[in-house]
Amino acid sequence: MFSKETYIARRAKLKQSVGSGLLLFIGNDECGMNYADNTYNFRQDSTFLYFFGLPYAGLSAIIDIDNDKEIIFGDELTIDDIVWMGTQPTLKEKSEATGLSDVRPFNAIVDYLKKAQQSGQTIHYLPTYRAEHRIKLNAWLNVPIGFEKPSVPFIMGVVNQRNYKSAEEIAEIDKACIVTADMHLAAMRTVRPGIRECEVAAAVAEVAFKHNYPLSFPIIATVNGQTLHNHDHSHLIKSGDMLLLDAGAETEMGYAGDMSSTIPADKKFTQRQRDVYDIPVADLRPGVNFVDVYEHSCAVIMQGMKDLGFAKGDPVEAVKAGAHAMFMPCGLGHMMGLDVHDMENLGEVYVGYNGKPKSTQFGRKSLRLGRELEPGFVLTIEPGIYFIPELMDLWRKEGKFTEFLNYDKLETYKDFSGLRNEEDYLITENGARLLGKKIPVHAEDVENEHC
């Protein structure tokens, strides 16, 4: 964890931002996969980690702004816990390392919250993303399950801190991105005809585990790259295939890396693959709105597809109409930090759009980031081109965008699959800095690494 001064300063800033009331932080619990003692890998709630730095199950916390109290609620380990988990510092010792001296039994939170309610104090809480959170809000505050009303001032206070990465956070993200890059390089040296996707996934995971880093999300390693989030690893890689890899590592402190590569099964891309692969994309700098970056990238893609005979008409007008979503039905990137999609549980409209509404247009509605870029933002850039047979058939049947799309040519590429490349960037005062280290993104460079 960082120094206790870091966590003290973070909490002080949040109190100043929200101003009054009581801030409730619900930590995560262990969760059984198929019975109670066989648990999924534990991961602490990221906002809890950010302000309290304690990656342990069974904790919650309160920042009582009105009464100037910061309290951790949790139970000390018993001898039964120690037998199974080994000797550890006490919860009080762990909490003191992050500048917290007030530690109370977990169930004491019920009386504290009840008294706060009875006094008419405003209790702020964040959006829920686990059933256990909803159950606790119901039990503690009598909030009906499914009808939670998260505090917008609390959300915005968190977002306005976590969006701007400090130097020590950037150093952690750099570490994650270096290992993430090595995962992709390992894949480029592993992919070949005759092996299964799962063998590539195993080689990729091994790199992270060698550093004692967990994965920042389940590995995507697939020859069916037209399926954006394909976690199946059962296919045999054949000559002429491309393998799309989307994978990242997470440091022991929880900071993420996230990169994508597209690798030919053979030592070289086919000409058909290379033609699509080498369409260029994005430019990053502070002060530009990411929507403009997205639209420019989509227009470049549409121009490239026009040059190859898949599209027609004005590329800019095609993007305005939404025809580009035939090839790129997703966004161009997302914020990254303690979450691989940073703070997505708090709501994209707050994190990525600064409270402004998102587009509802197909393709564009999947753009997770649509605000002006500022120094300190960390984000991914992941342009892709996908040939999705079901989308081709649906739009052709509906007669959509016939002025912009050449359906006869598209029909001949139903077996192409899809590709994307993704890198991680820090927005600086003057531009953007690549985080971690460079992975090959041009066809020739991928082939050289692959050989």
PDB file of all heavy atoms in Angstrom, residues 2 27 45 70 81 159 168-169 175 181-182 240 248-249 282 289 343 394 406 425:
ATOM      1  N   PHE A   2       0.254   2.387  -0.284  1.00  0.00           N
ATOM      2  CA  PHE A   2       0.977   3.646  -0.238  1.00  0.00           C
ATOM      3  C   PHE A   2       1.173   4.067   1.221  1.00  0.00           C
ATOM      4  O   PHE A   2       0.696   3.404   2.148  1.00  0.00           O
ATOM      5  CB  PHE A   2       0.206   4.724  -1.001  1.00  0.00           C
ATOM      6  CG  PHE A   2       0.023   4.430  -2.469  1.00  0.00           C
ATOM      7  CD1 PHE A   2      -1.247   4.458  -3.056  1.00  0.00           C
ATOM      8  CD2 PHE A   2       1.109   4.130  -3.269  1.00  0.00           C
ATOM      9  CE1 PHE A   2      -1.411   4.193  -4.402  1.00  0.00           C
ATOM     10  CE2 PHE A   2       0.952   3.856  -4.624  1.00  0.00           C
ATOM     11  CZ  PHE A   2      -0.311   3.887  -5.190  1.00  0.00           C
ATOM     12  N   GLY A  27     -17.286  -2.568   1.950  1.00  0.00           N
ATOM     13  CA  GLY A  27     -16.244  -3.419   1.390  1.00  0.00           C
ATOM     14  C   GLY A  27     -16.825  -4.725   0.875  1.00  0.00           C
ATOM     15  O   GLY A  27     -17.986  -5.061   1.123  1.00  0.00           O
ATOM     16  N   ASP A  45     -13.322  -3.946  -3.081  1.00  0.00           N
ATOM     17  CA  ASP A  45     -13.925  -2.838  -3.820  1.00  0.00           C
ATOM     18  C   ASP A  45     -12.875  -1.748  -4.066  1.00  0.00           C
ATOM     19  O   ASP A  45     -12.123  -1.369  -3.159  1.00  0.00           O
ATOM     20  CB  ASP A  45     -15.083  -2.265  -3.002  1.00  0.00           C
ATOM     21  CG  ASP A  45     -15.677  -1.037  -3.634  1.00  0.00           C
ATOM     22  OD1 ASP A  45     -16.414  -1.169  -4.618  1.00  0.00           O
ATOM     23  OD2 ASP A  45     -15.380   0.075  -3.139  1.00  0.00           O
ATOM     24  N   GLU A  70     -13.575   8.899  11.349  1.00  0.00           N
ATOM     25  CA  GLU A  70     -13.254   7.940  10.289  1.00  0.00           C
ATOM     26  C   GLU A  70     -13.098   6.588  10.964  1.00  0.00           C
ATOM     27  O   GLU A  70     -12.208   6.394  11.794  1.00  0.00           O
ATOM     28  CB  GLU A  70     -11.960   8.336   9.566  1.00  0.00           C
ATOM     29  CG  GLU A  70     -12.050   9.698   8.872  1.00  0.00           C
ATOM     30  CD  GLU A  70     -10.731  10.103   8.212  1.00  0.00           C
ATOM     31  OE1 GLU A  70      -9.730   9.369   8.368  1.00  0.00           O
ATOM     32  OE2 GLU A  70     -10.697  11.155   7.554  1.00  0.00           O
ATOM     33  N   ASP A  81      -9.488 -18.788  12.227  1.00  0.00           N
ATOM     34  CA  ASP A  81      -9.004 -18.107  11.021  1.00  0.00           C
ATOM     35  C   ASP A  81      -7.501 -18.289  10.877  1.00  0.00           C
ATOM     36  O   ASP A  81      -6.987 -18.558   9.774  1.00  0.00           O
ATOM     37  CB  ASP A  81      -9.325 -16.609  11.097  1.00  0.00           C
ATOM     38  CG  ASP A  81     -10.813 -16.325  11.130  1.00  0.00           C
ATOM     39  OD1 ASP A  81     -11.545 -16.960  10.348  1.00  0.00           O
ATOM     40  OD2 ASP A  81     -11.228 -15.473  11.926  1.00  0.00           O
ATOM     41  N   VAL A 159     -15.228  10.318  -8.212  1.00  0.00           N
ATOM     42  CA  VAL A 159     -14.787  10.390  -9.617  1.00  0.00           C
ATOM     43  C   VAL A 159     -13.762  11.500  -9.808  1.00  0.00           C
ATOM     44  O   VAL A 159     -12.742  11.317 -10.486  1.00  0.00           O
ATOM     45  CB  VAL A 159     -16.005  10.607 -10.547  1.00  0.00           C
ATOM     46  CG1 VAL A 159     -15.559  10.993 -11.954  1.00  0.00           C
ATOM     47  CG2 VAL A 159     -16.865   9.355 -10.584  1.00  0.00           C
ATOM     48  N   GLU A 168       2.463   8.479  -7.843  1.00  0.00           N
ATOM     49  CA  GLU A 168       2.653   7.138  -7.304  1.00  0.00           C
ATOM     50  C   GLU A 168       1.676   6.145  -7.941  1.00  0.00           C
ATOM     51  O   GLU A 168       2.020   4.969  -8.135  1.00  0.00           O
ATOM     52  CB  GLU A 168       2.523   7.143  -5.777  1.00  0.00           C
ATOM     53  CG  GLU A 168       1.233   7.691  -5.225  1.00  0.00           C
ATOM     54  CD  GLU A 168       1.276   7.892  -3.719  1.00  0.00           C
ATOM     55  OE1 GLU A 168       2.285   7.507  -3.085  1.00  0.00           O
ATOM     56  OE2 GLU A 168       0.297   8.455  -3.163  1.00  0.00           O
ATOM     57  N   GLU A 169       0.489   6.606  -8.306  1.00  0.00           N
ATOM     58  CA  GLU A 169      -0.441   5.735  -9.023  1.00  0.00           C
ATOM     59  C   GLU A 169       0.083   5.419 -10.422  1.00  0.00           C
ATOM     60  O   GLU A 169       0.000   4.273 -10.884  1.00  0.00           O
ATOM     61  CB  GLU A 169      -1.806   6.401  -9.125  1.00  0.00           C
ATOM     62  CG  GLU A 169      -2.590   6.461  -7.834  1.00  0.00           C
ATOM     63  CD  GLU A 169      -3.971   7.035  -8.041  1.00  0.00           C
ATOM     64  OE1 GLU A 169      -4.076   8.266  -8.240  1.00  0.00           O
ATOM     65  OE2 GLU A 169      -4.947   6.263  -8.021  1.00  0.00           O
ATOM     66  N   LYS A 175       3.918  -0.319 -13.886  1.00  0.00           N
ATOM     67  CA  LYS A 175       4.329  -1.691 -13.550  1.00  0.00           C
ATOM     68  C   LYS A 175       3.353  -2.702 -14.154  1.00  0.00           C
ATOM     69  O   LYS A 175       3.759  -3.716 -14.730  1.00  0.00           O
ATOM     70  CB  LYS A 175       4.400  -1.855 -12.030  1.00  0.00           C
ATOM     71  CG  LYS A 175       5.594  -1.175 -11.382  1.00  0.00           C
ATOM     72  CD  LYS A 175       5.428  -0.991  -9.879  1.00  0.00           C
ATOM     73  CE  LYS A 175       5.176  -2.265  -9.139  1.00  0.00           C
ATOM     74  NZ  LYS A 175       5.053  -2.026  -7.674  1.00  0.00           N
ATOM     75  N   ALA A 181       2.437  -5.912 -21.271  1.00  0.00           N
ATOM     76  CA  ALA A 181       3.136  -5.966 -22.567  1.00  0.00           C
ATOM     77  C   ALA A 181       3.872  -7.290 -22.725  1.00  0.00           C
ATOM     78  O   ALA A 181       3.844  -7.910 -23.801  1.00  0.00           O
ATOM     79  CB  ALA A 181       4.110  -4.797 -22.674  1.00  0.00           C
ATOM     80  N   ASP A 182       4.515  -7.753 -21.662  1.00  0.00           N
ATOM     81  CA  ASP A 182       5.230  -9.032 -21.728  1.00  0.00           C
ATOM     82  C   ASP A 182       4.267 -10.196 -21.970  1.00  0.00           C
ATOM     83  O   ASP A 182       4.634 -11.183 -22.617  1.00  0.00           O
ATOM     84  CB  ASP A 182       6.021  -9.260 -20.437  1.00  0.00           C
ATOM     85  CG  ASP A 182       7.261  -8.381 -20.347  1.00  0.00           C
ATOM     86  OD1 ASP A 182       7.741  -7.931 -21.404  1.00  0.00           O
ATOM     87  OD2 ASP A 182       7.754  -8.150 -19.226  1.00  0.00           O
ATOM     88  N   GLY A 240      -4.029 -19.646 -41.507  1.00  0.00           N
ATOM     89  CA  GLY A 240      -4.946 -18.657 -42.068  1.00  0.00           C
ATOM     90  C   GLY A 240      -5.776 -17.936 -41.025  1.00  0.00           C
ATOM     91  O   GLY A 240      -6.409 -16.930 -41.334  1.00  0.00           O
ATOM     92  N   GLY A 248      -4.626  -8.444 -19.574  1.00  0.00           N
ATOM     93  CA  GLY A 248      -3.906  -7.482 -18.755  1.00  0.00           C
ATOM     94  C   GLY A 248      -3.574  -8.049 -17.391  1.00  0.00           C
ATOM     95  O   GLY A 248      -4.209  -8.992 -16.921  1.00  0.00           O
ATOM     96  N   ALA A 249      -2.589  -7.442 -16.758  1.00  0.00           N
ATOM     97  CA  ALA A 249      -2.183  -7.811 -15.403  1.00  0.00           C
ATOM     98  C   ALA A 249      -2.599  -6.719 -14.432  1.00  0.00           C
ATOM     99  O   ALA A 249      -2.798  -5.567 -14.815  1.00  0.00           O
ATOM    100  CB  ALA A 249      -0.667  -8.019 -15.348  1.00  0.00           C
ATOM    101  N   ALA A 282      -5.571   6.895 -34.024  1.00  0.00           N
ATOM    102  CA  ALA A 282      -5.895   8.017 -33.110  1.00  0.00           C
ATOM    103  C   ALA A 282      -4.788   8.982 -32.679  1.00  0.00           C
ATOM    104  O   ALA A 282      -3.652   8.633 -32.633  1.00  0.00           O
ATOM    105  CB  ALA A 282      -6.522   7.430 -31.874  1.00  0.00           C
ATOM    106  N   ASN A 289     -11.790  16.755 -26.897  1.00  0.00           N
ATOM    107  CA  ASN A 289     -12.855  15.901 -26.393  1.00  0.00           C
ATOM    108  C   ASN A 289     -12.695  14.508 -26.998  1.00  0.00           C
ATOM    109  O   ASN A 289     -12.460  14.362 -28.201  1.00  0.00           O
ATOM    110  CB  ASN A 289     -14.228  16.473 -26.747  1.00  0.00           C
ATOM    111  CG  ASN A 289     -15.334  15.784 -25.976  1.00  0.00           C
ATOM    112  OD1 ASN A 289     -15.559  14.585 -26.092  1.00  0.00           O
ATOM    113  ND2 ASN A 289     -16.042  16.559 -25.158  1.00  0.00           N
ATOM    114  N   MET A 343     -13.894   2.754 -12.482  1.00  0.00           N
ATOM    115  CA  MET A 343     -15.105   3.275 -11.838  1.00  0.00           C
ATOM    116  C   MET A 343     -16.369   3.000 -12.627  1.00  0.00           C
ATOM    117  O   MET A 343     -17.375   3.692 -12.460  1.00  0.00           O
ATOM    118  CB  MET A 343     -14.967   4.771 -11.539  1.00  0.00           C
ATOM    119  CG  MET A 343     -13.863   5.104 -10.564  1.00  0.00           C
ATOM    120  SD  MET A 343     -13.634   6.883 -10.338  1.00  0.00           S
ATOM    121  CE  MET A 343     -12.674   7.289 -11.815  1.00  0.00           C
ATOM    122  N   LEU A 394     -28.525  -8.752 -40.715  1.00  0.00           N
ATOM    123  CA  LEU A 394     -29.618  -7.952 -40.163  1.00  0.00           C
ATOM    124  C   LEU A 394     -29.753  -6.623 -40.887  1.00  0.00           C
ATOM    125  O   LEU A 394     -30.853  -6.242 -41.312  1.00  0.00           O
ATOM    126  CB  LEU A 394     -29.383  -7.713 -38.674  1.00  0.00           C
ATOM    127  CG  LEU A 394     -30.427  -6.821 -37.975  1.00  0.00           C
ATOM    128  CD1 LEU A 394     -31.798  -7.490 -37.982  1.00  0.00           C
ATOM    129  CD2 LEU A 394     -29.979  -6.494 -36.556  1.00  0.00           C
ATOM    130  N   ASN A 406     -21.257  -1.514 -48.858  1.00  0.00           N
ATOM    131  CA  ASN A 406     -21.291  -2.406 -50.020  1.00  0.00           C
ATOM    132  C   ASN A 406     -21.525  -3.822 -49.502  1.00  0.00           C
ATOM    133  O   ASN A 406     -20.582  -4.532 -49.146  1.00  0.00           O
ATOM    134  CB  ASN A 406     -19.977  -2.317 -50.798  1.00  0.00           C
ATOM    135  CG  ASN A 406     -19.973  -3.197 -52.041  1.00  0.00           C
ATOM    136  OD1 ASN A 406     -20.867  -4.029 -52.229  1.00  0.00           O
ATOM    137  ND2 ASN A 406     -18.951  -3.025 -52.872  1.00  0.00           N
ATOM    138  N   TYR A 425      -2.470   4.808 -22.160  1.00  0.00           N
ATOM    139  CA  TYR A 425      -1.824   6.121 -22.219  1.00  0.00           C
ATOM    140  C   TYR A 425      -2.146   6.966 -20.997  1.00  0.00           C
ATOM    141  O   TYR A 425      -3.241   6.891 -20.429  1.00  0.00           O
ATOM    142  CB  TYR A 425      -2.290   6.886 -23.462  1.00  0.00           C
ATOM    143  CG  TYR A 425      -1.704   6.375 -24.757  1.00  0.00           C
ATOM    144  CD1 TYR A 425      -2.366   5.406 -25.501  1.00  0.00           C
ATOM    145  CD2 TYR A 425      -0.477   6.846 -25.225  1.00  0.00           C
ATOM    146  CE1 TYR A 425      -1.829   4.925 -26.687  1.00  0.00           C
ATOM    147  CE2 TYR A 425       0.063   6.369 -26.413  1.00  0.00           C
ATOM    148  CZ  TYR A 425      -0.612   5.406 -27.133  1.00  0.00           C
ATOM    149  OH  TYR A 425      -0.070   4.928 -28.291  1.00  0.00           O
TER     150      TYR A 425
END
